[in-house]
Amino acid sequence: MGTGEGENRAISLLGRTVPVQVLKPRLVLALLLTGSLAGIWVANLAAPVLVRGIRWVTLATLGVLVGGTYWRLALFDRSEFADDDTYRTVTHRWQRIETLAVVGFVLSGTVHLGLGVRDGQFGTGRVALGLGVISAPVLWVGIRRIADGSPTRRAVSVRSTLLLASLVSLAGFAWVETGTTLVDWGVRLAHVGAFSLWLGGAIWHNFVVLPTVRSRPDAGEALKPQAHAFRRHLPVVLPVVFVTGVYQTAGLIGLSAPALLASPVGHLVAVKLLVLAVLTAMVAASCKRNG
């Protein structure tokens, strides 16, 4: 997909030779998941380890649904595909990911809600989250029943409803984690929303775009504009993640160097900052290389 000379190099990794162009998207995905895990750990320090783990899985699967469905609706252009077989290959790859995301979200979200009920906590945030847990599988079944990969308005309408339900659940998730003021909730929602958009794009690139191009090189020209369209979102996503992350860090432990360096929370924040710095450098290099 328009790789440059530098990207065609290979490096040795765990005894295997891995092309740089293959490693970079995987590294981005790994960094996103690592940063999100650190963020959940910091935001839920008072919660047991099990709860923090469940919340992270809920956020990750919900993020794939939000960001991936946004790509499918806003960036995926059916008219770019001259070959129907290639179009079906791409849509079937996404359907498999969508299925895994729905199942993962329903299972982790149900446990999340169950733990809240057990602890006597069931407010507005969990109601919103529960709406998504109930509606996501129903809408997923509706999408599959309409027709596999159908570009009809009906299919778009149902998938748009799935995106809306996922966003409502994400808003509920953010409220569960803050539950203090509208400002704190809005900041947290912006943070996890930007993360979800980025994660969904990384999932598409790793598990839809690259495998399709490897198996069908002629698909590169159809998928390249869609990948470039997503890349244009990153100059907005990055500042949102950074600014909202700074605000949340200041509310938790302040922004002084001793607070960041002398506490376990500070160490986790440092991990997030390092992840964000690496991701920012990678995005900047990519934007410079592609003009």
Side-chain angles (χ1 to χ4, degrees):
M1 294 192 52
T3 57
E5 182 181 348
E7 288 184 313
N8 290 325
R9 296 173 301 178
I11 64 173
S12 179
L13 186 67
L14 299 178
R16 296 177 58 196
T17 299
V18 182
V20 172
Q21 69 183 75
V22 173
L23 181 61
K24 282 184 177 180
R26 294 177 182 175
L27 179 59
V28 169
L29 180 58
L31 288 171
L32 283 171
L33 293 174
T34 300
S36 66
L37 179 59
I40 289 293
W41 229 253
V42 169
N44 299 273
L45 281 176
V49 172
L50 174 62
V51 174
R52 281 179 277 181
I54 291 297
R55 287 184 179 180
W56 178 68
V57 175
T58 302
L59 174 62
T61 52
L62 195 49
V64 172
L65 275 180
V66 171
T69 306
Y70 171 79
W71 182 310
R72 181 66 176 81
L73 288 168
L75 304 180
F76 187 78
D77 187 355
R78 169 68 176 91
S79 65
E80 293 286 343
F81 295 90
D83 185 351
D84 287 342
D85 287 340
T86 301
Y87 169 72
R88 282 191 289 269
T89 297
V90 173
T91 54
H92 289 167
R93 286 186 187 279
W94 168 245
Q95 284 171 352
R96 288 194 291 269
I97 296 167
E98 190 175 56
T99 299
L100 291 174
V102 168
V103 171
F105 169 57
V106 169
L107 292 177
S108 60
T110 300
V111 176
H112 190 319
L113 294 170
L115 292 172
V117 172
R118 183 197 66 182
D119 297 335
Q121 302 171 354
F122 203 88
T124 303
R126 285 188 170 82
V127 170
L129 187 61
L131 289 175
V133 168
I134 295 170
S135 61
V138 175
L139 293 168
W140 172 80
V141 170
I143 292 170
R144 297 303 294 268
R145 278 183 172 276
I146 290 171
D148 263 0
S150 172
T152 62
R153 290 184 179 180
R154 188 178 173 194
V156 171
S157 176
V158 177
R159 188 167 267 117
S160 298
T161 306
L162 175 61
L163 176 59
L164 178 60
S166 302
L167 287 170
V168 169
S169 292
L170 194 67
F173 180 89
W175 184 259
V176 169
E177 288 204 309
T178 54
T180 52
T181 67
L182 288 177
V183 173
D184 289 342
W185 169 74
V187 169
R188 185 61 179 163
L189 179 57
H191 190 78
V192 296
F195 160 76
S196 297
L197 184 61
W198 201 347
L199 178 62
I203 291 291
W204 261 88
H205 199 68
N206 276 278
F207 299 111
V208 178
V209 175
L210 294 181
T212 301
V213 172
R214 282 197 292 269
S215 63
R216 295 175 173 270
D218 57 309
E221 289 305 312
L223 289 168
K224 187 188 299 183
Q226 299 168 30
H228 287 173
F230 178 79
R231 190 177 293 144
R232 288 195 290 269
H233 289 63
L234 296 181
V236 176
V237 168
L238 267 168
V240 171
V241 171
F242 177 76
V243 172
T244 54
V246 169
Y247 176 91
Q248 292 173 102
T249 301
L252 282 171
I253 60 173
L255 296 176
S256 65
L260 290 173
L261 298 175
S263 69
V265 178
H267 298 159
L268 288 171
V269 172
V271 169
K272 286 204 67 175
L273 290 174
L274 178 61
V275 166
L276 186 59
V278 173
L279 287 171
T280 301
M282 294 178 71
V283 169
S286 177
C287 290
K288 183 178 179 181
R289 184 174 59 251
N290 290 281

